Amino acid sequence: MSTHVHAFTDDALGEEDAVGVAERIRTGEISSLEAVEAAIARVERVDPELNAVVVADFERARKSAVETRSGPLAGVPTIVKDNSDVAGLPTGHGSAAFTPHAPHDDGDFVRQFLAQGVVNLGKSRLPEFGFNASTEFADAPPTRNPWNTAYSPGASSGGSAALVASGALPLAHANDGGGSIRIPAAACGLVGLKPTRGRTLSEAFSAAAPVKIVSEGVVTRTVRDTAHFLAGAEKVYASPRLPRIGLVEGPSQRRLRVGMLTESVTGHPTDDATRWAVAAAASRLTSMGHDVVEMPMPVGQQFADDFAHYWGLLAAAISATGKRTLARDFDRAHTDNLTRGLAAAFRRNMLRTPGVVRRLRRSERTYAAIFADYDLVLSPTLAHTTPKLGHLSPAQPFEQLFDRLLRYVAFTPLNNATGGPAISLPMAMSEAGLPIGVQLSAGHGDERTLLEIAYEVEQEHGWARIQDV
């Protein structure tokens, strides 16, 4: 039986976003410990139904909350996705193929995140190695969508998104190697911005990849939380190759030329509800004075084939090196059907790899050329509405699952291969009462324009709130 789940109540967190909670702590209205205690109570209330937390670290969070903290989000409770290292907590990558160990040190991005003063409550769930677009497991209960627990919360940052959407936490860590910030943001009605490649620090699992497709960030309920996170992260580390963003605090007066796409490079159709959501978003942007025009497809089927091959390369690399990089007891026979199937598909075509890597790297220039004609690109985040749990289960045969993934995740990978920034905004609702995300993409380093337009849409139209349903 499906359930609508949220944790909003009259406690220290109230209905505030992360910036609001930080301000209440800063002024002494509440303490960091009170905020953390409220978050722990909320997580304990919803997690039996959502299954979003894989490692709870509540006692250490309580101790950390009473320490003197600094940073723009000082004292705000959060959680880190379980493919990033937090000192003293096991890193499991969502896999049953090895026994996770606890690292001695935080990962590079985790240090950048925690430097903003947030208090970590533990680790959030993800599907095995982040490969799936739903946080489901072959032989364990799935993570559920708080809007309707019969449905997927997306992935791979599905655990983080479920906790933020339910109101258990104001914001949470997420990362994106094929859409894994934007997909769960779309499924759970959140703001999800994938930064430009190099904007935030990388974790070890992605730093050495031949094409650096993963970007680190957060999922939030408000645009200002995402903006403050980016500004805070930039104070810790600012890429010398990218223009500074600074703190974006509202819309711009600049009117933009926006290219619109509704069909993907895979050839699979976009469903009617999603097409309607994009058309409605275009109408909203037009009503605000922006110029929205249909644009030609920037890449072809070759790109989709190349990205799928690269997906397989990553799975094959984990399978081949897991005993050395993860744990001595790593057993690839215990990986799920998706990981094994991706690795096998790669091995059958591994001679294609040099050309694939070369073309994916070259796609950065193709992407950059788009923004000679447009300020932004408007598209679906996903090709169809959020599926029910089971549709993307890794327990099903690989060929069926992979076909379903290609039909679902058809728009987000371009920004990972090219390194361009993109944001998913919850601009519509499906007939089933679940959010539909709409994606806006910008030129390299232009997160400012994405945040400005997101503020404008949020102020003009707002988002659906789970506590009002």
Side-chain angles (χ1 to χ4, degrees), residues 80-114:
V80 173
K81 183 177 173 180
D82 191 32
N83 60 359
S84 297
D85 284 348
V86 174
L89 298 184
T91 303
H93 293 276
S95 179
F98 67 100
T99 304
H101 73 278
H104 296 295
D105 300 308
D106 294 333
D108 288 345
F109 172 77
V110 170
R111 285 195 296 273
Q112 186 179 18
F113 185 37
L114 297 183

Side-chain angles (χ1 to χ4, degrees), residues 189-202:
L190 302 175
V191 176
L193 188 150
K194 184 207 85 73
T196 303
R197 178 161 45 223
R199 175 69 73 187
T200 51
L201 293 171
S202 296

Side-chain angles (χ1 to χ4, degrees), residues 330-397:
F330 176 82
D331 185 351
R332 65 184 181 188
H334 291 160
T335 57
D336 67 23
N337 284 351
L338 180 55
T339 301
R340 292 198 304 273
L342 286 169
F346 168 78
R347 288 191 290 268
R348 287 193 298 270
N349 297 283
M350 62 189 307
L351 294 179
R352 293 183 53 220
T353 304
V356 166
V357 170
R358 184 173 61 252
R359 286 189 294 272
L360 288 178
R361 288 174 173 171
R362 197 166 58 216
S363 69
E364 182 173 351
R365 296 197 299 272
T366 302
Y367 180 88
I370 296 170
F371 299 96
D373 297 317
Y374 307 98
D375 298 302
L376 296 173
V377 173
L378 169 70
S379 73
T381 304
L382 292 154
H384 63 74
T385 54
T386 304
K388 285 189 172 183
L389 289 166
H391 181 75
L392 296 176
S393 169
Q396 66 189 290

Side-chain angles (χ1 to χ4, degrees), residues 35-363:
V36 166
E37 290 287 8
I40 290 171
R42 290 185 178 200
V43 170
E44 290 179 333
R45 188 180 315 136
V46 301
D47 200 54
E49 293 178 88
L50 299 182
N51 192 37
V53 178
V54 64
V55 178
D57 196 24
F58 297 159
E59 287 308 311
R60 192 160 59 153
R62 289 182 172 108
K63 293 176 182 177
S64 178
V66 299
E67 298 172 355
T68 301
R69 314 184 72 80
S70 61
L73 299 176
V76 175
T78 191
I79 200 163
V80 173
K81 183 177 173 180
D82 191 32
N83 60 359
S84 297
D85 284 348
V86 174
L89 298 184
T91 303
H93 293 276
S95 179
F98 67 100
T99 304
H101 73 278
H104 296 295
D105 300 308
D106 294 333
D108 288 345
F109 172 77
V110 170
R111 285 195 296 273
Q112 186 179 18
F113 185 37
L114 297 183
Q116 299 192 47
V118 293
V119 179
N120 180 42
L121 268 61
K123 305 293 278 299
S124 64
R125 291 190 189 275
L126 73 155
E128 186 168 79
F129 303 118
F131 291 142
N132 205 344
S134 184
T135 307
E136 299 184 53
F137 309 94
D139 54 3
T143 300
R144 298 178 179 274
N145 192 317
W147 288 85
N148 186 323
T149 55
Y151 285 78
S152 168
S156 63
S157 308
S160 287
L163 292 167
V164 176
S166 70
L169 295 171
L171 85 169
H173 168 229
N175 45 38
D176 192 318
S180 296
I181 291 173
R182 293 160 288 158
I183 293 168
C188 292
L190 302 175
V191 176
L193 188 150
K194 184 207 85 73
T196 303
R197 178 161 45 223
R199 175 69 73 187
T200 51
L201 293 171
S202 296
E203 293 295 335
F205 65 87
S206 61
V211 182
K212 293 175 176 56
I213 61 173
V214 179
S215 291
E216 303 287 336
V218 292
V219 284
T220 69
R221 294 192 298 269
T222 64
V223 177
R224 74 172 183 171
D225 275 2
T226 296
H228 278 73
F229 157 76
L230 275 178
E234 192 173 59
K235 289 180 180 178
V236 179
Y237 166 78
S239 170
R241 299 182 179 180
L242 296 172
R244 297 291 289 264
I245 305 171
L247 178 59
V248 183
E249 298 186 88
S252 167
Q253 295 302 309
R254 178 183 170 212
R255 298 300 85 184
L256 305 173
R257 180 172 170 83
V258 182
M260 182 176 72
L261 294 169
T262 54
E263 300 298 340
S264 74
V265 299
T266 66
H268 300 307
T270 302
D271 74 358
D272 289 343
T274 303
R275 290 174 64 90
W276 175 87
V278 175
S283 179
R284 289 179 180 182
L285 293 173
T286 300
S287 71
M288 292 187 289
H290 302 286
D291 181 23
V292 182
V293 296
E294 291 189 12
M295 63 175 286
M297 192 71 66
V299 294
Q301 181 65 43
Q302 180 72 66
F303 171 81
D305 294 342
D306 286 346
F307 197 88
H309 181 85
Y310 190 76
W311 204 355
L313 181 154
L314 298 178
I318 289 170
S319 298
T321 67
K323 286 186 179 295
R324 176 169 53 84
T325 60
L326 296 171
R328 291 181 180 179
D329 66 351
F330 176 82
D331 185 351
R332 65 184 181 188
H334 291 160
T335 57
D336 67 23
N337 284 351
L338 180 55
T339 301
R340 292 198 304 273
L342 286 169
F346 168 78
R347 288 191 290 268
R348 287 193 298 270
N349 297 283
M350 62 189 307
L351 294 179
R352 293 183 53 220
T353 304
V356 166
V357 170
R358 184 173 61 252
R359 286 189 294 272
L360 288 178
R361 288 174 173 171
R362 197 166 58 216
S363 69

